[in-house]
Amino acid sequence: MNKSKLDHALNYAQQGVPVLPLHYIEADGSCSCGADEGGCKPAKHPFGQLVPHGVVDASADMDTVRSWFENKPYNIGIATGEVSGFFAVDRDDRDGGDATIKKWVETHGELPKSLMQRPSDGVHLLFKIPPGVTIKNDQKKTGAGIDIRGDNGYICAAPSIHKSGHQYSWEGYELFDRSKIGTAPEWLIDKIQQSARPRKSIGKVDFGDLGVFELPDKVADGEGRESTLVSYAGHLRANGLDQATIDQILLDYNRSHILPPLDDDVVLNRARRYETAVVAEALTNTASGWDEPLAIKENLPSVPPFNRVMFPNDISRYVFDVAERMSCPPEFPAIAAMVALATAIGSRVHCKPYEKGMWLVPGGAWGMIVSPPSHIKTPPLSEMLRPLKIMDKNAADQFKLAEEQYKIDKGIYDNGVKKAITAGNRTPGLALPAEPKMTRYVVNDSTYEMLVKIADANPNGFLVFRDELSGWFHSLNKENQKEARGLFLTGWSGTEGYATDRIGRGHVRADRLNISLIGTIQPNVLRTIVYDAVSGGVGDDGLVQRFQFAVYPDPVRKFTKVDRHPDFAAMQHFEDLIKMLTNLDPKKIGATIGPDDNAYLYFNEEAQVIFDEWRDLLETRLRDPDSDETPAMLAHLGKYRSLLPKIALVLHLADGQVGAIGKRPTIQAKAWTILLEAHARRIYHTATNRTLQSAVTLANKIKSERLVNGFTRSDILLKEWANLRRGEEVSTALTVLVDLKWLKSVDDNNTGGRPTQRFYINPRLTTKETAAA
């Protein structure tokens, strides 16, 4: 799906690239500024009403960018140079730019691969600006047909429309991607800097004790008015004049010798550039004037240890046996065991929390293991799911046999029908053989249409196992996967039907859709997904909240080699239990069969009291108008209404009990809800506390000397560190570290445009004094 101009503009800003609105081409082919032909660069110059100072007013503020481009026709300009961290080589083939590049390549070798944009006649090649290097704008001096866009420059960017009707586009990418920008070769940097215009000497003025300085008597527009002022201010400062005196001398010089005079604020800006260097030197070389830096540390909310009594004894034995052998937290196999048991029960029997109500809670569960990479997540899941996988394979083998028999029976039927037609017999008495349906227990990857067919054949439910949930979340975020997302949202409850009607596929229907789900995910990946869900993004539809069995346990810090056989007795008990539950006879366990053929169990009197008290407390928390809970946490807790009944049902049956659900599994279920809520708080903390996380990340980079004094916001963005990839993340992290006395910011006026904010590191920081984790 093609992205709008607003999508592109927000994408630039989100990656820390200031944008500005440009004029556009009207329907009659003229520029929207209304200038006569030749009076402007059509659709390439700033829209002055919004950005009166041109590229100096470019912004990466999301609200500002949205106000500029939402439902507006403006072309998009993106700022180059230090503010963005990259420069552009603008190759105009009409003026021989392609020949110049070819000559460069023959002399120096191929240019490195980098992000490239195609305007009308040529290309824009983007390159990172090396640390400490300044790239200025240059027109045709680096080479024929080559313009350089650096500090105070900009380029017209995709998806702008050229006056020729050609649409700007990024080669190979729909959207701008900062990570694809390559590093400029040294020879190109040297070539650009060698082409810089030398200063024009007009005359010499003797200032007595201040020495002789080449200072022009008159400087007209286009002859370097601002650069003359900058050099003059530097000369005066080098000879010991204070800033107030320098300001006044330059204001006087501007009024008498600059044609036309510059605005006073511009003069003062240029007069104070060298002041930045003096301040920077002081900040860098001495600890005087610095306060002690404050400690910064992100602490995840604590989670209680997993208790053995939360499962029946034989299941606990197996769970802790797996955790010990694999040197992983017990939560990994515990969650997989719970999801496997819930899947095995599925919709075969339900818990009915209220005797006279219609509310039914089936088996089936969504589980998620959150842990950093290489922390042994998949093996414990695979072991606990093995019984379901074995049954799924056996069912597939049986289906092949049934399918072969069906082909034979169908062939006999078809031949009988043909004979009856030939004989004119309209009632041959032949029975159409039933087409076999494949029993499924575990599904790894499937289209949503196929999932509906699988559900039709398996009304009691099945498990979708995705080793890495990140791909699953990513696929469901795509525009063309809305139906698949809706299918999973519906399938979570386990009580609803689902039907699709498509041309070419016809009507596909499942009278009951019960989808269980389990997989693993890394914290940094989940952070973005959860943030999207809690901030009104595409994920704000309850999908994340449906993972009731989500855990983010403390890691096992020390690996312990365990080379022994599994607890075979506990393993066999678990496998037999899974098989038994998948063949559950509701009548034999004392379930009530309702008029809709749904089987269910009630709570007994003691269990009912426990559930009612738990539910009352939950509803009070959810409905409290003065609650301190975040909206994200409240939304998650809102899904807990079915959690205790579901767990109590699973534990009751897993313990081999029959009849009404009793006190013990209900108390165990209550303990599970406390455990899972603690893990949920940790998971949502990763998204709702993004400011501190970004600050901690930046603090760690500073401690490891990954940044040098005088670094800029763009320097951080170019690193593309986790938690610091977005402009807002970097800005908030810098604000926190300035407040905590880790950094000081200084406006660098030596840019030729708007000041650049530079950050200096507190010299008092040492690895022994302040820790960031």
Side-chain angles (χ1 to χ4, degrees):
M1 182 177 180
N2 291 333
K3 300 292 185 180
S4 65
K5 280 188 179 178
L6 176 62
D7 292 330
H8 282 265
L10 291 175
N11 177 60
Y12 293 124
Q14 190 177 57
Q15 297 184 60
V17 179
V19 302
L20 68 155
L22 307 179
H23 279 282
Y24 54 93
I25 299 299
E26 299 278 14
D28 61 1
S30 64
C31 182
S32 59
C33 70
D36 295 334
E37 186 174 352
C40 71
K41 293 183 177 180
K44 288 186 178 181
H45 57 111
F47 196 86
Q49 292 177 326
L50 297 177
V51 283
H53 303 100
V55 71
V56 174
D57 294 331
S59 176
D61 178 76
M62 302 295 277
D63 292 335
T64 300
V65 173
R66 188 180 297 279
S67 70
W68 283 345
F69 291 98
E70 190 164 28
N71 300 319
K72 302 297 195 312
Y74 308 122
N75 275 351
I76 300 175
I78 60 173
T80 56
E82 187 175 18
V83 296
S84 295
F86 58 79
F87 68 94
V89 177
D90 184 355
R91 190 190 86 192
D92 190 339
D93 293 347
R94 295 170 300 180
D95 293 336
D98 51 349
T100 298
I101 295 290
K102 182 179 180 181
K103 183 177 179 181
W104 288 355
V105 169
E106 291 173 351
T107 304
H108 303 284
E110 293 289 341
L111 285 166
K113 185 177 180 181
S114 189
L115 191 62
M116 180 171 68
Q117 180 181 241
R118 293 199 175 276
S120 179
D121 296 292
V123 296
H124 290 149
L125 288 165
L126 302 190
F127 293 105
K128 296 177 184 178
I129 299 176
V133 172
T134 298
I135 301 294
K136 297 183 178 181
N137 291 325
D138 176 281
Q139 194 168 9
K140 303 298 186 296
K141 290 195 292 296
T142 303
I146 301 295
D147 290 346
I148 304 299
R149 298 286 180 248
D151 286 355
N152 299 308
Y154 69 91
I155 59 172
C156 194
S160 300
I161 304 297
H162 189 267
K163 65 178 182 180
S164 65
H166 175 83
Q167 185 175 40
Y168 290 71
S169 63
W170 296 107
E171 188 75 8
Y173 304 95
E174 182 178 9
L175 291 172
F176 171 87
D177 185 348
R178 177 188 283 278
S179 68
K180 305 303 179 185
I181 300 177
T183 301
E186 292 185 8
W187 62 262
L188 179 59
I189 297 297
D190 291 342
K191 189 177 292 292
I192 293 172
Q193 293 188 324
Q194 288 172 5
S195 69
R197 178 186 299 176
R199 283 198 50 80
K200 184 176 180 181
S201 176
I202 300 177
K204 295 183 179 180
V205 179
D206 189 345
F207 287 91
D209 292 340
L210 298 183
V212 178
F213 176 64
E214 296 181 358
L215 185 69
D217 181 57
K218 301 292 182 183
V219 186
D221 185 13
E223 294 181 346
R225 294 180 297 170
E226 295 181 24
S227 59
T228 299
L229 291 174
V230 171
S231 298
Y232 191 10
H235 169 75
L236 296 174
R237 179 168 289 104
N239 284 276
L241 273 69
D242 62 82
Q243 187 60 49
T245 302
I246 295 172
D247 290 348
Q248 190 57 56
I249 290 176
L250 261 67
L251 287 170
D252 293 342
Y253 180 78
N254 175 60
R255 298 186 185 103
S256 304
H257 301 277
I258 301 294
L259 303 173
L262 296 163
D263 292 341
D264 285 355
D265 58 344
V266 174
V267 174
L268 292 174
N269 177 283
R270 305 307 181 258
R272 294 167 183 172
R273 284 192 182 176
Y274 282 86
E275 182 184 30
T276 302
V278 175
V279 173
E281 182 177 4
L283 290 175
T284 302
N285 296 329
T286 177
S288 62
W290 284 89
D291 294 328
E292 284 292 332
L294 303 178
I296 174 174
K297 185 173 183 179
E298 180 194 20
N299 291 313
L300 289 172
S302 62
V303 293
F306 187 82
N307 197 314
R308 289 176 178 270
V309 301
M310 295 175 70
F311 271 126
N313 183 55
D314 287 331
I315 300 176
S316 279
R317 277 176 51 201
Y318 188 36
V319 165
F320 279 86
D321 173 63
V322 172
E324 182 181 340
R325 285 188 286 112
M326 298 186 180
S327 197
C328 71
E331 288 87 348
F332 290 4
I335 289 299
M338 178 61 76
V339 172
L341 292 166
T343 301
I345 296 168
S347 297
R348 293 171 179 83
V349 65
H350 305 69
C351 174
K352 191 174 185 184
Y354 299 124
E355 181 179 353
K356 298 177 183 179
M358 300 289 290
W359 182 24
L360 296 178
V361 179
W366 284 23
M368 178 194 298
I369 304 297
V370 184
S371 184
S374 302
H375 275 226
I376 313 179
K377 301 185 290 292
T378 302
L381 265 66
S382 296
E383 179 153 343
M384 306 310 291
L385 300 179
R386 185 174 59 241
L388 289 174
K389 293 179 179 179
I390 292 173
M391 294 169 63
D392 192 69
K393 180 181 182 303
N394 292 340
D397 293 340
Q398 291 295 320
F399 176 74
K400 290 179 182 177
L401 296 175
E403 198 171 33
E404 291 300 321
Q405 185 61 51
Y406 170 74
K407 291 178 182 178
I408 295 171
D409 295 342
K410 184 64 164 58
I412 295 172
Y413 171 81
D414 291 340
N415 287 334
V417 171
K418 290 179 182 178
K419 290 179 181 179
I421 293 173
T422 302
N425 182 3
R426 298 174 63 87
T427 57
L430 300 173
L432 179 66
E435 184 174 355
K437 294 183 178 181
M438 187 175 180
T439 302
R440 296 301 305 271
Y441 297 97
V442 181
V443 177
N444 296 118
D445 189 20
S446 173
T447 63
Y448 88 94
E449 294 95 343
M450 183 55 71
L451 283 177
V452 179
K453 292 188 67 174
I454 293 173
D456 178 42
N458 297 270
N460 288 320
F462 53 91
L463 173 68
V464 174
F465 174 39
R466 298 295 294 263
D467 183 23
E468 288 287 348
L469 283 170
S470 57
W472 180 79
F473 275 112
H474 177 71
S475 65
L476 294 187
N477 284 337
K478 294 180 179 178
E479 186 69 23
N480 62 352
Q481 291 295 306
K482 287 183 178 179
E483 293 83 0
R485 194 179 185 98
L487 175 80
F488 278 100
L489 290 170
T490 301
W492 172 81
S493 69
T495 58
E496 300 294 328
Y498 198 91
T500 64
D501 296 275
R502 294 286 186 275
I503 295 175
R505 294 193 180 99
H507 180 75
V508 182
R509 181 182 188 85
D511 291 329
R512 185 163 56 199
L513 189 65
N514 188 333
I515 300 177
S516 293
L517 178 66
I518 193 169
T520 68
I521 199 165
Q522 297 175 21
N524 286 339
V525 177
L526 181 62
R527 177 182 291 115
T528 302
I529 294 169
V530 174
Y531 180 73
D532 187 46
V534 302
S535 60
V538 67
D540 189 14
D541 57 3
L543 188 71
V544 172
Q545 287 83 359
R546 281 165 165 76
F547 284 90
Q548 294 178 321
F549 296 89
V551 290
Y552 184 179
D554 295 324
V556 176
R557 295 294 182 186
K558 182 179 180 181
F559 172 78
T560 302
K561 177 183 176 181
V562 178
D563 185 14
R564 63 167 173 79
H565 293 296
D567 184 336
F568 287 115
M571 177 189 292
Q572 190 61 53
H573 171 79
F574 185 73
E575 292 182 0
D576 292 343
L577 179 59
I578 294 291
K579 293 176 184 177
M580 183 274 290
L581 293 175
T582 57
N583 293 286
L584 198 64
D585 184 342
K587 293 181 179 179
K588 290 184 178 180
I589 61 168
T592 301
I593 310 299
D596 54 3
D597 292 330
N598 284 319
Y600 48 85
L601 296 172
Y602 298 110
F603 288 115
N604 68 17
E605 290 185 9
E606 289 181 301
Q608 189 71 54
V609 171
I610 295 170
F611 171 69
D612 289 345
E613 291 177 349
W614 175 86
R615 174 80 187 275
D616 286 345
L617 180 59
L618 175 65
E619 294 294 344
T620 299
R621 296 168 64 195
L622 293 174
R623 299 162 191 258
D624 180 5
D626 299 320
S627 175
D628 293 329
E629 299 283 8
T630 64
M633 197 63 207
L634 286 174
H636 189 86
L637 293 174
K639 299 295 182 185
Y640 271 31
R641 294 182 175 98
S642 64
L643 184 58
L644 189 147
K646 184 186 297 288
I647 298 174
L649 172 69
V650 172
L651 297 178
H652 174 74
L653 296 176
D655 200 25
Q657 302 299 312
V658 297
I661 299 170
K663 178 180 179 180
R664 178 178 172 79
T666 307
I667 291 175
Q668 288 174 309
K670 183 177 178 180
W672 269 94
T673 64
I674 294 171
L675 174 80
L676 293 171
E677 180 178 335
H679 282 274
R681 291 189 183 281
R682 176 173 284 192
I683 289 169
Y684 284 102
H685 175 87
T686 65
T688 56
N689 199 30
R690 290 170 68 90
T691 296
L692 182 57
Q693 291 164 4
S694 296
V696 168
T697 300
L698 182 56
N700 286 332
K701 300 302 181 186
I702 291 171
K703 296 294 290 183
S704 60
E705 299 182 351
R706 303 289 295 277
L707 291 166
V708 298
N709 267 314
F711 68 85
T712 66
R713 180 172 174 271
S714 295
D715 290 335
I716 301 172
L717 284 169
L718 286 171
K719 303 290 187 182
E720 296 188 333
W721 288 320
N723 300 333
L724 294 169
R725 292 194 177 99
R726 299 183 180 184
E728 62 188 85
E729 293 174 330
V730 173
S731 296
T732 55
L734 288 168
T735 299
V736 170
L737 293 191
V738 168
D739 290 343
L740 294 178
K741 316 303 181 185
W742 282 59
L743 302 172
K744 283 186 179 180
S745 66
V746 175
D747 285 339
D748 181 1
N749 296 305
N750 191 27
T751 62
R754 63 180 182 180
T756 294
Q757 195 175 28
R758 293 190 177 277
F759 294 89
Y760 293 85
I761 301 167
N762 191 336
R764 296 179 183 269
L765 278 172
T766 69
T767 54
K768 293 181 179 180
E769 290 172 343
T770 306

